[in-house]
Amino acid sequence: MPFKSQFFVFEGIDGSGKTTVSKKVSEILSTKSISNLWHREPTDSIHGQKIREFLQGKIKLTPDEQLKLFLLDREFSVNETILPTLKSDTCLVQDRYYFSTAAYQGRDEEHAADILYMNEDKGFPEPNRVYFLDLSPEEALERRNTRGGNKEAFDDEKEQTRIYQNYLAILPESTIFVDATADLEEVVNFCVEDILLSLSLKT
Ligand code: TYD
């Protein structure tokens, strides 16, 4: 059955489980013959590679330089992947989008809102649905400590609290808040069901 391609975005603070959840959602959609692509930002563009070096602490970037690079990477993401995918009757399941830039690069709620408008002004396509995997900064930190791995930029509780508060201030009213403390399977199924509704494949 043909259906319009739609754009689904997963957001959340570090440790909220977005990457795992969004990948599983994409796999399940494929098993239901819903053509889709899982994609994430930052991308592998030259700007994205520089961003990853920064995230891993290999290079230093001022907040302005970070913002500039994330915007350049997003332009690449939109032109090279998002628009071509949506034009080809394929849904996009995306791990992070411009809400991340507003939440992470925003010094405070007001600055976060400015960054959001900056992205919208650039004409970047609006997602059909935004899923916010909601987990408190304290719980997310506990998860990251249990998971181990290298510390990345923004990896402290104060930073994550700023980011969480920015998210709450800028996420659109239509955002679907998902309780990220629930079982992985439960979280994934909840998002899949909602996507099926959005695609009018379920009533
Ligand atoms: P990544 O290794 O993909 O982590 P995660 O799986 O938690 O998403 O790194 C993404 C990091 O980049 C994460 O800390 C959030 C940050 N980020 C920004 O600061 N601004 C942005 O615009 C985006 C897309 C990500």
Side-chain angles (χ1 to χ4, degrees), residues 5 18 25 30 46 78 80 83 89 107 112-113 133 136 140 144 150 166 171 186 190 197:
S5 51
K18 300 165 301 48
V25 165
S30 298
I46 45 163
V78 167
E80 297 298 316
L83 290 178
D89 258 351
R107 283 183 302 274
L133 297 196
S136 71
R144 293 202 303 283
N150 293 330
N166 281 346
L171 283 169
E186 221 176 291
F190 176 85
L197 277 178

Side-chain angles (χ1 to χ4, degrees), residues 14 18-19 52 55 70 74 96 100-101 104-105 154:
D14 297 74
K18 300 165 301 48
T19 305
R52 294 217 178 268
L55 291 170
F70 277 111
R74 177 145 314 108
R96 296 196 183 281
S100 282
T101 319
Y104 280 75
Q105 275 64 57
F154 313 114

Side-chain angles (χ1 to χ4, degrees), residues 18-109:
K18 300 165 301 48
T19 305
T20 312
V21 169
S22 57
K23 276 189 176 163
K24 286 211 180 288
V25 165
S26 163
E27 281 166 24
I28 294 180
L29 294 180
S30 298
T31 65
K32 294 182 183 292
S33 304
I34 297 169
S35 162
N36 76 98
L37 179 78
W38 179 84
H39 181 240
R40 81 163 175 191
E41 293 186 7
T43 72
D44 294 328
S45 74
I46 45 163
H47 314 297
Q49 286 169 27
K50 199 156 177 199
I51 288 170
R52 294 217 178 268
E53 285 178 25
F54 158 73
L55 291 170
Q56 291 158 9
K58 292 182 185 156
I59 57 167
K60 288 211 182 322
L61 292 174
T62 65
D64 275 353
E65 288 168 335
Q66 289 170 43
L67 179 58
K68 219 166 147 185
L69 277 177
F70 277 111
L71 289 175
L72 284 170
D73 186 52
R74 177 145 314 108
E75 224 162 278
F76 176 89
S77 172
V78 167
N79 291 327
E80 297 298 316
T81 305
I82 298 176
L83 290 178
T85 302
L86 296 174
K87 274 189 197 141
S88 69
D89 258 351
T90 302
C91 290
L92 200 64
V93 176
Q94 182 152 307
D95 183 354
R96 296 196 183 281
Y97 194 38
Y98 50 59
F99 310 99
S100 282
T101 319
Y104 280 75
Q105 275 64 57
R107 283 183 302 274
D108 52 30
E109 293 176 16

